[in-house]
Amino acid sequence: MLMRLHTFLSLATLIAICTATSFAQDQETADAPSVESKYLANVRQVTSGMVKAGEGYFSPDGKRIVYQAVPPQYPFYQIYTQPLAGGEPELVSTGRGRTTCAYFTVDGKDILFASSHRDPNMKQTEEEEVAKQEEERRTGQRRRYSWDFDPYTDIYVKDMKSGELTRLTTAQGYDAEGAFSYDGKKIAFCSDRDGDPDLYIMDADGSNLKQLTNAKGYDGGPFISPNGKWIVFRSDRKQEGFLQIYVISVDGEREFQLTDNVGVNWAPYWHPTQPYIIWAGADHSKPGRPNYDLWLMKYEETDDAIKPGPIWRITDSPAADVLPVFSPDGKKLMWTSTRTDDHSSQLFIADFTFPEDEPTEEK
């Protein structure tokens, strides 16, 4: 949806990340106590054996996860599922092409994801990426991260019992970052079919397509609220590369900006039962390489608006923490982090506790 880096910037997704961002907190000293123990307990790693993995989502019963990972010997992310309690990863995607942003159907039997496996020049695309990665290993110089808006990317649903793959989008351009509504009847997604990445919504079978945004710049990473009335997303419309969090009504008529800082805020996700939104953000306003942490906002919902509220910092690890999602019961948090021994991106999970302390900052 990694990148939701999904994600795009779903990792599914860091879009023009080398920009300035500012959260209004002071720089913490190196010996300051971590804030994480207030909100997270029993932190554990849940993926391994892949070059990198991330942007994971829970099945409706909370027993399985689906995620994207770069396997050994292949250059692009593929989609996998596995039991949360442990077990071998099962390949969901075709094994070729760029993939991202997987999501379970409401009954947990099928999996939605985006894939470019229909690329008519697939062999050349793969060879070019392999050559780039080999050059990085040879020189020790890594490319600046950017998400590929592959024009052959479409959205598919796979029946996990029969293996049947159903294509839901066919327009020329990038169609990805899809997620179901809680009742399973709608899919919100990002598409650049008109030349600019915007939000769209459609029925679960791909019919009744409607464009929701048309602002200049990137609008993506959408998730429909638990009550089905709103869609949270990220956008750099205010300034290119400076992502902010927005919500828009599912009819596209009302829109509100939730963050407004000189910063990069992305991968927002709703809590399933309480009025909170979590996302990843970092401070690029100071010299040096910035670090991504998780942030939590309490919002107020009225009949016709979503109003931003206080904000808490949830993680402060020196590792990057991104792409957070809640379990269906809201009691666990899963996210992508480089807090591994080899500093690769992998999925982590923890028991989640709501804040009782003062917010890190007020909106």
Side-chain angles (χ1 to χ4, degrees), residues 288-303:
R289 184 177 180 178
N291 192 60
Y292 278 78
D293 290 303
L294 305 184
W295 300 80
L296 185 78
M297 173 187 286
K298 188 173 185 178
Y299 63 87
E300 178 185 353
E301 182 178 6
T302 64
D303 289 341

Side-chain angles (χ1 to χ4, degrees), residues 1-13 46-47 54-68 79-84 100-105 111-113 177-180 182 221-223 234 266-270 322-328 333-336 347-349:
M1 32 258 76
L2 284 136
M3 341 340 82
R4 294 95 264 78
L5 213 205
H6 228 331
T7 127
F8 192 85
L9 240 122
S10 227
L11 206 229
T13 305
V46 293
T47 58
E55 194 178 359
Y57 299 94
F58 292 90
S59 61
D61 63 7
K63 295 181 179 180
R64 296 185 66 86
I65 59 173
V66 65
Y67 59 94
Q68 60 193 47
I79 305 300
Y80 295 87
T81 183
Q82 68 185 53
L84 188 57
T100 190
C101 305
Y103 214 73
F104 282 97
T105 54
I111 292 176
L112 178 85
F113 67 97
E177 303 170 37
F180 283 102
Y182 275 63
F223 289 99
R234 57 198 177 228
W266 65 286
Y269 197 82
W270 304 92
V322 295
L323 295 159
V325 300
F326 290 108
S327 59
L333 183 70
M334 182 165 59
W335 73 101
T336 304
L347 285 174
F348 285 75
I349 194 170

Side-chain angles (χ1 to χ4, degrees), residues 90-102:
E90 176 184 355
L91 181 66
V92 176
S93 54
T94 66
R96 299 192 71 183
R98 296 182 174 95
T99 68
T100 190
C101 305

